Amino acid sequence: MEVIVYNTAEEIGEAIGKIFVDTVNARHDSVLGLATGASPIPTYNYIAKAYQEGRVSLRDVTTFNLDEYCDLPREDKNSFYSFMVENLFSRTDIDMNKVHFLNGNAEDIDAECARYDSAIEAAGGIDLQILGIGTDGHIGFNEPDDHFSEKSFRIQLEQSTIDSNQKYFGDVPMPRYAVTMGTGIILKARRIVLVATGESKAEAVQKMIQGPVDPHCPASALQEHGDTVIFLDKAAAKLL
């Protein structure tokens, strides 16, 4: 696990964006694992700008998003699908037929999760995965638990996660359940980059990097991954 500290979120976005652009330019049909939330937005801004300047094309890539809410229409403005369309997909030449999401509204969630894991495997696995981290140490929607999850699954969200995300929903209650790649699926990615910014993430970052490998801090599993780079600003790194 390599740790790099920058001054600003924009600098982190540029650094990770360059990694994504270089990955795609080295292999035009790369398989990319994507995340949502505030943390990856500077990265997506960099990738979109690189496309607009003719420095990269996403037309041949395949993408798999980490997670999606349950009981929320895909076209809802707060769905992660809508987030990705707004912040990346609509700003590039990506082929939407190669974009993949878990369906949180599937009638058989277990079958849907198995389908998703099989689709990742059939695509050859994820070449580069971007992650954020929650204040409780979650990655994707893998919340603190007594064991690490191996496969994609449906989860009831912790109140701390709901408190952190409710602001995006305004006065409308946000979903209480989500579907997510399991920690074991995430760790199969060939390369992982994680971004954390802000003082609110400092305790989770410290546990992820310096604490024991413990499912009560799901991100600590990244200590056992062979090619993970952690990108932090100074506030997120203050306890290291």
Side-chain angles (χ1 to χ4, degrees), residues 10-235:
E10 288 70 28
E11 290 175 346
I12 293 172
E14 180 176 352
I16 299 178
K18 286 179 178 177
I19 292 173
F20 269 82
V21 168
D22 289 347
T23 297
V24 175
N25 284 335
R27 180 185 165 194
H28 64 91
D29 59 348
S30 295
V31 180
L32 307 177
L34 304 178
T36 55
S39 296
I41 288 178
T43 294
Y44 296 154
N45 287 339
Y46 180 91
I47 296 170
K49 183 179 179 182
Y51 164 71
Q52 291 158 9
E53 293 175 348
R55 294 187 284 118
V56 71
S57 170
L58 301 186
R59 65 180 179 271
D60 294 327
V61 304
T62 299
T63 70
F64 290 90
N65 259 74
L66 275 170
D67 41 29
E68 182 57 280
Y69 290 117
C70 296
D71 306 316
L72 191 72
R74 189 178 78 161
E75 292 75 20
D76 188 280
K77 65 178 182 178
N78 291 309
S79 74
F80 291 153
Y81 176 86
S82 294
F83 174 97
M84 292 303 308
V85 169
E86 177 181 354
N87 288 286
L88 183 64
F89 298 158
S90 67
R91 304 167 68 191
T92 68
D93 62 344
I94 199 162
D95 181 352
M96 293 300 291
N97 292 316
K98 297 179 180 178
V99 165
H100 300 278
F101 280 80
L102 281 157
N103 179 8
N105 301 310
E107 290 187 9
D108 188 334
I109 288 292
D110 289 341
E112 167 63 11
C113 290
R115 178 203 65 78
Y116 202 66
D117 293 349
S118 295
I120 294 173
E121 184 177 358
I126 292 172
D127 295 307
L128 177 61
Q129 174 72 59
I130 186 170
L131 298 174
I133 183 172
T135 56
D136 60 0
H138 72 248
I139 49 175
F141 272 135
N142 291 275
E143 302 278 26
D145 203 345
D146 292 334
H147 62 278
F148 290 110
S149 55
E150 289 299 320
K151 300 178 180 180
S152 297
F153 67 107
R154 180 177 184 262
I155 187 167
Q156 182 173 354
L157 301 176
E158 296 287 341
Q159 188 60 47
S160 60
T161 299
I162 294 170
D163 292 342
S164 295
N165 289 278
Q166 179 61 55
K167 59 181 178 287
Y168 300 114
F169 288 80
D171 295 332
V172 179
M174 69 170 279
R176 264 41 183 173
Y177 291 87
V179 278
T180 182
M181 286 186 199
T183 305
I185 299 297
I186 293 170
L187 292 178
K188 288 182 179 180
R190 294 178 182 86
R191 190 176 193 190
I192 295 173
V193 293
L194 182 144
V195 53
T197 57
E199 188 174 346
S200 66
K201 302 294 179 72
E203 183 175 353
V205 165
Q206 190 274 331
K207 291 179 179 178
M208 169 179 65
I209 295 171
Q210 297 179 336
V213 176
D214 181 352
H216 291 97
C217 177
S220 67
L222 298 175
Q223 294 179 32
E224 299 183 340
H225 188 267
D227 189 357
T228 292
V229 185
I230 310 297
F231 291 85
L232 308 172
D233 67 1
K234 291 181 178 179

